[in-house]
Amino acid sequence: MAAVPEVTAVDGYVHSVETAGTVDGPGVRFVVFLAGCRLTCLYCHNPDTQKLGGGRLLSSRALLQEIAEYKPYLMHTHGGVTVSGGEPLVQPAFVEAVFQGCKELGLHTALDTSGFLGARASDALLDATDLVLLDIKSGLPGLYQRVTGVPLQPTLEFARRLEARKQPVWVRFVLVPGLTDGEDNIRAVARIVAKLKNVERVEVLPFHKMGEHKWEEMGMEYKLKETPSPTKEQLECADAIFRAEGVVTASAG
């Protein structure tokens, strides 16, 4: 097993981990889901991660020890470590310590974030981040507020900061029928992306209800109960709108 880096020990609330993730960055990923989120997205499939205390309190060194056990596998599959949530920037010091340890291990790092708390990400944290997975929930401020419960502007400011740093970014946008699938909204997201020179990939993700049971178990109202997943035609239409704005999505590329 690889030696565990002697990074600063910072405690954080970890909801869960996935040791063989394949959708949160390049290669096979060790995905860390942190607890805590300021957003209240209508389609959140992990509402149990919204509360900061909804996980185990773990030292960054202890987590790195777990990660180190998978280093040979992650290196062999050209993967790495992704920190997701919840919203990882609720706990920026913990993420920074973990990513700095990952870099000492020689592992690729990816930060999966909405960007709303981007101002809390220090330059040191971003220096230890190889890739940012930036979730842009909507391109229209009013709709963004409706979908997430928070304003869009902080995410746009974070996106511009990442561009100024020439930080590699993958943009992800969830297509929700009857909510985010309006042509004006898709076009607005595409225009945001088209202005950013550091975006390497754009993914249009289909809405799903795999987390609906969690809302029910937590006694929370799931407002998208009657919303279907998008059809193939709806996804193709979204891809076409992005393409018309000069942005080729991963599914269309």
Side-chain angles (χ1 to χ4, degrees):
M1 184 182 73
V4 179
E6 290 296 324
V7 298
T8 302
V10 178
D11 288 339
Y13 287 97
V14 176
H15 176 270
S16 57
V17 301
E18 181 180 356
T19 59
T22 58
V23 297
D24 297 303
V28 176
R29 317 292 297 179
F30 187 107
V31 186
V32 183
F33 297 95
L34 299 188
C37 187
R38 298 282 180 83
L39 281 65
T40 54
C41 297
L42 295 178
Y43 55 75
C44 178
H45 57 271
N46 287 319
D48 48 334
T49 66
Q50 290 180 3
K51 292 183 179 180
L52 181 59
R56 55 177 172 147
L57 188 61
L58 195 65
S59 162
S60 55
R61 289 182 181 173
L63 179 58
L64 284 165
Q65 189 168 10
E66 289 186 38
I67 292 170
E69 295 177 7
Y70 291 87
K71 176 182 175 179
Y73 177 61
L74 298 174
M75 296 287 284
H76 178 72
T77 57
H78 305 288
V81 176
T82 298
V83 176
S84 184
E87 168 53 63
L89 293 180
V90 169
Q91 305 183 68
F94 182 72
V95 178
E96 181 178 329
V98 171
F99 274 5
Q100 287 177 343
C102 288
K103 297 317 297 175
E104 289 189 33
L105 286 168
L107 292 171
H108 181 278
T109 57
L111 176 69
D112 182 10
T113 177
S114 69
F116 175 65
L117 296 177
R120 299 187 66 177
S122 67
D123 285 339
L125 189 162
L126 294 177
D127 287 344
T129 302
D130 293 309
L131 174 68
V132 176
L133 306 176
L134 185 62
D135 299 314
I136 300 182
K137 320 284 186 176
S138 166
L140 301 174
L143 181 57
Y144 192 96
Q145 183 92 35
R146 177 186 166 199
V147 171
T148 68
V150 299
L152 170 61
Q153 189 60 29
T155 292
L156 300 181
E157 292 171 359
F158 185 54
R160 288 193 287 268
R161 179 184 171 197
L162 295 174
E163 182 190 25
R165 289 176 51 90
K166 299 181 180 179
Q167 192 111 23
V169 167
W170 289 8
V171 168
R172 304 204 285 190
F173 166 69
V174 180
L175 190 71
V176 186
L179 184 64
T180 67
D181 65 336
E183 180 178 345
D184 56 344
N185 183 52
I186 298 171
R187 198 171 296 281
V189 173
R191 288 176 176 172
I192 291 169
V193 175
K195 294 177 182 178
L196 302 172
K197 299 179 178 63
N198 58 327
V199 175
E200 298 181 343
R201 180 182 176 96
V202 177
E203 298 176 336
V204 177
L205 306 176
F207 163 72
H208 63 75
K209 295 193 284 187
M210 289 186 286
E212 181 177 355
H213 69 282
K214 295 181 181 180
W215 288 72
E216 296 173 351
E217 291 167 359
M218 296 175 66
M220 299 167 61
E221 180 187 3
Y222 188 63
K223 296 182 179 179
L224 301 182
K225 195 176 185 68
E226 304 303 322
T227 302
S229 295
T231 63
K232 179 183 178 182
E233 289 73 21
Q234 287 172 314
L235 290 166
E236 290 175 346
C237 180
D239 289 336
I241 295 170
F242 271 95
R243 192 163 52 247
E245 296 295 335
V247 178
V248 177
T249 65
S251 54

